Each structure stands twice: as C-alpha cells, then as structure tokens.
Amino acid sequence: MIPYYSAENFVFPPTETALPEPNGLLVAGGDLAPERLLLAYQSGIFPWYTEGEPILWWSPSIRAVFWPEHIHVSRSLAKFLRKSPYTYSFNQAFTDVIQSCAYIHEHNTGTWITPPMIQAYSQLHQQGHAHSVEVWQQGQLVGGLYGVLIGSTFCGESMFHRADHASKCALLALAQHLVPAGLHLIDCQLPNPHLIRLGAKEISRASFIEQLTRNKPHILAANALKPQVIAL
C-alpha cells in the first residue's frame, strides 16, 4: 500500500519508500499545481496516471537517461538527415505538441496526458519551466517532444511523430540546441527498447537523483529558451 494525501496536507515521502511492484509507485493524491510539479521533478518524481484514478506519483528504481553527446545516430537516420526534409523550432508551438502527444498516444496505446495534465504543463510552459521542440515539414507539424527543465536536466515527458524519424529528429534537435547552452542530461523516465537503441542508459534511482542534484544549480543560457527556429 502507498500513502494517500489530500492536496491540503500533501507531502512527498522519501523516494526510497517507492514500491518495487509496480516499480516506483510512491504516493497518491495532491494536485497538479505548478509548485507541486516542480518540487516533484526536483526530487526525481513524476506524475503518471489515467483518467478516473487519483494522481499517482512515481520514482522508479531504474531510470532511462541520455547523455546528449551519446545519442546514437544509426546509418539509416544519418542518411535521412542528409536529405534535410524537416525544419525545427523551440518553444513555438508547445500547446500543439502536447495535444498531438495526447492524441497519438490515445489512439495507439492509451494516454495519461489528460486535459488536467495538459493544463498543468501549459502553466509550467507559461512560467518558463516546460519546453517543446517542434518538427515541421512544409509548414505542417509532423513531430515533437516536450518536458520540464530542472537546472541543466531536461525531464522528457512525451514525444510524437507523424512522419519518418520525426520524434528522433526532435530529440537530436533538443540536444543540438541546448547542449551549447549548458544541458547535461535528458531524463526519459522508463527504459524501453526504442530508447536503448537510441543510446539511452539505465541508471539507478540514487544515481539519477545524484545527477539531478548536481545539475540543478546550473541554469541554461536564457537566450536558448526563447521561442525560436533552431537547426539540426
């Protein structure tokens, strides 16, 4: 059993008290207020639940992360990139990206990106904490990703694609754009075969929180976070 707290008296328990099964389930309840979400990400915790459930907060024993310089570009992807079919932007269509992630996941595997989640992360975006990368083809949004920036760690939330390799290109564009500004780590939350093929590494909860704490004081260059066209 995990603790449940109302929004009025909600606290995050120590992450090491998270359940081994389901892996990482820590606590239920609370709300999605910006200050609570920021505290969660700063502590190595994220919300993940489906409509009709209480808000569930997770801190898995194993995290998937990218060191941006080690993202793997396969031969086929490198060949695709040489054709340069896409253009890229940063923070120019956050709402479209998060809604596209919700729509595509809903039709493929079901989605945790409910209307309250969209509203909450949109608030974080307006406050300068949540960010998006957009991939465009002939003026149409064909891919992207969004997440929350904690110091120099980008906590990825979701990505989508409507065209070949568009989500991979979004990840590469994120790294290409933010590493010069001081980005050190990209969190992917849970490992899966797709992420591992792209070069994600599995690290322990303790190692992740150590990395997060170490990187938290390093603030990325403000100019890099402004809405803008970016290159890959």
Side-chain angles (χ1 to χ4, degrees):
M1 296 292 291
I2 59 166
Y4 174 90
Y5 300 108
S6 65
E8 292 74 20
N9 57 13
F10 188 87
V11 295
F12 286 115
T15 54
E16 58 267 23
T17 65
L19 295 180
E21 186 60 41
N23 184 7
L25 183 56
L26 180 66
V27 64
D31 57 28
L32 297 173
E35 58 272 17
R36 192 169 331 273
L37 281 170
L38 287 176
L39 178 59
Y41 283 100
Q42 290 164 1
S43 306
I45 300 165
F46 59 87
W48 187 27
Y49 68 104
T50 57
E51 200 162 8
E53 292 180 335
I55 301 172
L56 302 177
W57 302 88
W58 302 76
S59 184
S61 60
I62 298 295
R63 298 291 280 243
V65 301
F66 286 106
W67 276 272
E69 62 273 18
H70 294 150
I71 295 173
H72 175 65
V73 179
S74 66
R75 287 185 181 179
S76 60
L77 180 56
K79 181 178 179 181
F80 181 84
L81 289 171
R82 286 194 290 271
K83 300 176 183 177
S84 301
Y86 301 144
T87 57
Y88 306 89
S89 61
F90 186 79
N91 278 343
Q92 287 196 332
F94 183 90
T95 300
D96 292 334
V97 168
I98 192 171
Q99 289 179 343
S100 295
C101 287
Y103 178 83
I104 287 178
H105 287 297
E106 175 67 30
H107 285 74
N108 291 341
T109 58
T111 186
W112 68 100
I113 310 172
T114 61
M117 292 279 272
I118 292 174
Q119 181 180 6
Y121 285 89
S122 296
Q123 282 185 284
L124 285 183
H125 174 65
Q126 292 162 9
Q127 294 177 5
H129 303 295
H131 305 279
S132 61
V133 172
E134 300 89 29
V135 182
W136 306 90
Q137 185 174 34
Q138 298 179 343
Q140 299 297 312
L141 184 68
V142 296
L145 59 80
Y146 76 95
V148 178
L149 190 62
I150 300 296
S152 58
T153 297
F154 187 87
C155 300
E157 270 297 308
S158 187
M159 58 174 59
F160 80 99
H161 69 277
R162 296 191 181 101
D164 290 346
H165 301 298
S167 58
K168 298 175 189 175
C169 290
L171 177 65
L172 291 169
L174 174 75
Q176 179 90 3
H177 179 59
L178 290 187
V179 165
L183 181 70
H184 288 305
L185 192 71
I186 300 172
D187 170 38
C188 308
Q189 297 179 350
L190 298 171
N192 63 48
H194 174 65
L195 294 174
I196 299 301
R197 285 193 296 271
L198 285 173
K201 304 299 182 184
E202 297 182 5
I203 63 174
S204 69
R205 178 195 294 125
S207 295
F208 173 70
I209 293 174
E210 179 186 357
Q211 289 282 336
L212 187 64
T213 303
R214 181 187 307 167
N215 294 341
K216 188 164 59 176
H218 302 284
I219 306 301
L220 269 64
N223 284 343
L225 304 181
K226 294 178 180 178
Q228 58 193 284
V229 174
I230 61 176
L232 173 57

